[in-house]
Amino acid sequence: MEEDCCSTQLIDRDGVFNASGLDNFVKTVKLAQCGLNYAVVSIMGPQSSGKSTLLNHLFRTNFREMDALKGRSQTTKGVWIAKCIGIEPTTIVMDLEGTDGRDRGEDDTAFEKQSALFALAVSDVVLINMWCHDIGREQAANKPLLKTVFQVMMRLFSPRKTTLLFVIRDKTKTPLQHLETILREDIQKIWDTVSKPQTHKDTLLSEFFRVEVTALSSYEGKEGQFKQEVRQLRQRFSNAIAPGGLAGDRRGVIPASGFSFSAQQMWKVIKENKDLDLPAHKVMVAAVRCEEISNEKFSRLTSDERWLELEAAVQSNPVSGFGKKLSSILDTYLSEYDMEAAYFDERVRTAKRQQLESKALQLVQPTYHAMLGHLRSRTLFDFKNQLEQSLKRGELFAASVHDCSHSCMLEFDKGCADVAIKQADWDTSKVREKLRRDIEAHATFVRNTKLSEMIADYEKQLTKALVEPVESLFDAAGQDTWASIRNLLRHETEVAVSGFSAALSGFELDQETYDKMVGNLVSFGRSVVEKKAREEAGKVLIHMKDRFLMVFTHDNDSMPRAWTGKEDIRAITKDARAAALKLLSVLAAIRLAEKSDKIEIVLFRSLLDGTSGVSGARDRSVISASTDPLAASTWEEVPPKDTLITPVQCKSLWGRFKAETQYIVTQAIHAKASLRRNNNWMPPPWALVAMIVLGFNEFMLLLRNPLYVLVIFIIFLLLKALWVQLDITREFQNGALTGMFSLSQFLPTVMNLLKRIADVGKMRQDPEPPRRQSSLSSQSSRSQTQRPVPMTGLVLNDLSSLSSQASSSESGIEYSSSLRHRKLGDMADRSS
C-alpha cells in the first residue's frame, strides 16, 4: 500500500493556527519518534509560480495544483503541511500561500511577511520559487520581503543557520553561474542594508543563512527535462541533515516531540508583533511628523555606510581625521532634518532636533570614547617604548621619565584635537588625567622594578662576599675571629654601599628614601653575618668534636699522631678540650660591636678549672668562686639579642661533649697500655734467676736421659706449631682474659678426639658370639681384613674434625680479635 503524505492545512487564510490538525499530523506520521533525526522544508514565492507542482514532483505530495485552463488564481490558501514520501530521514514540507496575489489586496503584504517569517523560523531549508526572467527586479525577486524578514528574524529568534535554496523556474540560455552571481549580490545587499540590533551588528549573513541556487526547465514546455532535473534535485534532500547536506549546518533543532508546541508558540509571537504591521501614511500633527522625521534620520544614521565603516574601523585601530569625518556625517542628517521639518511648529521642531542630536551623540559617544581609549593606549605604549629605549641607551632614569612623559603628553593633546566633534563639547580632561596617572604608575613600576633588581644584585654580591669567608673564620675560630669578621663586614659593606650609592644617583630619590635604602643594605650585610653565626652555633657540638679530634689526633705540625706509648695522653686531652672550649666561647655570642666580654674567662674558669686556654694576661680574678656563673640565661655585658648559646646551654653542651669524646680518650689509654705490654714479653730478671736455681735438678735429669730431650723437643715443636697457628701473641695483645677465652675454645676439640680413640679401643676388646665353623673362618678372615679400616677411618675423621674445629675456633678468635681492632679504628676515624 502506498504511503500517505497526510496533507494538512496548518494555518488558514485568516491566520488561525490549526493546532488540533498539527497534533493529528504528528501522530499520523509518527514524528515524535524521530528525536532530532528529521528535517523541515518550506517553499515560498509568487502566486501561481508552480510552488505546489514543484513540491508534488519533488517530494511526492498531493498539494492542490492550479488548473491552467481556469486561469491564474490563488490555489494554496494559508500554509499547508505534509510528509515527504520516500526520503530519509523523515522530512516535513510546508507549502506557503503565494505572494503578490490579487486575491488578498492590501492585506496580502502583512500575511505574506508573517508566513515567510514563520517559515524561516521553523524550517531547515526554505525553497524560494522565482521566475528566471524576474531576476534583478525589485518586487519579483522578493527583495522587500527578504529585507523585512531578515531584520525581524534577528530580533525574534536566535540564528538557526537556515538554508535558502533559490529555485529559478523556466531557465533560459543564460548560464546558471551568471544568474547565481547576480542573485547572491542582491541578497548580500539586502543583508547589508538591514538595521541590526547591537548583539548582531557585526554578524555575517552566513551566520543566519546558507544560500544555494538551482535552476529548472519549464514544466509546460519541457516536461520531461523538468522531471529529470527534479529527480536530481530530490537526491540532494536525501540525508539532508548529514554533514555536508543541505541542512547539515543547522543549529538549535527542536526535538520532534516538541515540534507541534514550538510551531504554535512561534506563530503566536509573530502574530502579536506589531512591528510587522505597516503603518498607514496619513496626515499627522507636527509632533508626530517631527518625531517620524527624527526617527527616520536617526535610523538612516545608524545604517549609514560611512558611519558603520568608521565605527568598525575604530573598534580595532585609531582612525586619522576621526573628528572631521564624524562631524560631517552628523551634520548631513541634522541638515536634512532642518529642511524637512522647516514648516512645522518651531518649538516642536527645535525640541525634536535637540532630541535627534542627543540620540545621535549618544550613538557615537561610545565610538568617540573608544577613539580616546585608543589614543590613550597608544600614547601610553609610546611612553613605555621610549622609556625602555632611553634606559637601554644608558640615560639616567629620572631624566628619561621627564623627557618621555612630556613628549607623549604633547602628542596626546594633538590627538584629542583631531578627535574632537563639532556638534559636541566633550571634555577630555578626565582621559588626560588618567593617562598622566598611568604614565606615573608605569614609571613608578619601572623604578621599583629597577631598584628591586639592583638591591637584589647588591645583596647577592654582599652575601657571596661574606658567607664563605665568615664560615672559614668560624671553622678556624681563634682569639681574633670576631675582630676579623668585623673588619671583613666593614670592608665589604663599604664596597657595596659605594657602588649602590652611585647607582641610586640617577633615580633622584629624596634624602629620606636614599638613607633608608642604604641603611637597609648595611643591615642586610649584618644580618648575613648574624644568620651565618646562628647557623654555625646550631652545629657547635659537631665543630667542638671536630676540633677536639683534630688536636687529639694530630701533633703540633698538623701531622697524624703516631702512638708510641710514651705520649702524655692527659696533657693532650687537656689541650684538645681547651681548643674545643675556645671554639665554644667564640660561638657563644655575636660580637659585631667592638665591646669586650668575659665569656671565654667564664667558660675556662668554670669548665676547665682555669688552666690552659686563657691568656696569661687576662685577669682570672673576675670570676667569683662562690657562685656558678653558668647557672644563668644571659651573658654579662652581652645583649640578649646577640646571645647565640646561653651559659646554661654551654654547660649542657660541655657535658655532652665530654661524654661523647671520653670513649676516644679511653681507647687511646688502652692502646698505650697494649703497646707497653707488647714491647716487653721477657720475664723479669729475678724470675730468670729463680728458674735457673729451682730447675737445676731437672736440667741434670735431662742430661742423664737424652730420650727425654727428644720427647721435649717434639713437644716443643708441637707447641710452637700451635703457637704460630693460633697466633697466641696477637690474642694476648688485647689482654690475658681475652687470650685465655680464645684458647679455651680449642680444648673441646682435643677432648672429643681422645674420647673417640678410647671408644674405638673398647670396641676391639668385646668378644664375638660362637658361630658355625664354616662361617667362623670366613668371618675371621673378613674381620682381619675389615677391622683396620674403620679404625683408620675414625682416626682420620677425628683428626679432620679436630682440624676443622680448631680452624673454626681459630677463625672465630681471629674474627673477634680483628672485629675489636676494626671497631677501635672506626671509632677513631669517625672522631677524626
Side-chain angles (χ1 to χ4, degrees), residues 7 42 138 245:
S7 178
S42 60
E138 186 70 19

Side-chain angles (χ1 to χ4, degrees), residues 22-23 26-27 30-38 253-264:
L22 179 59
D23 292 338
V26 170
K27 292 179 182 178
K30 300 179 180 180
L31 182 62
Q33 302 176 5
C34 297
L36 298 178
N37 193 27
Y38 75 101
V253 182
I254 302 297
S257 59
F259 175 78
S260 176
F261 176 77
S262 175
Q264 295 179 47

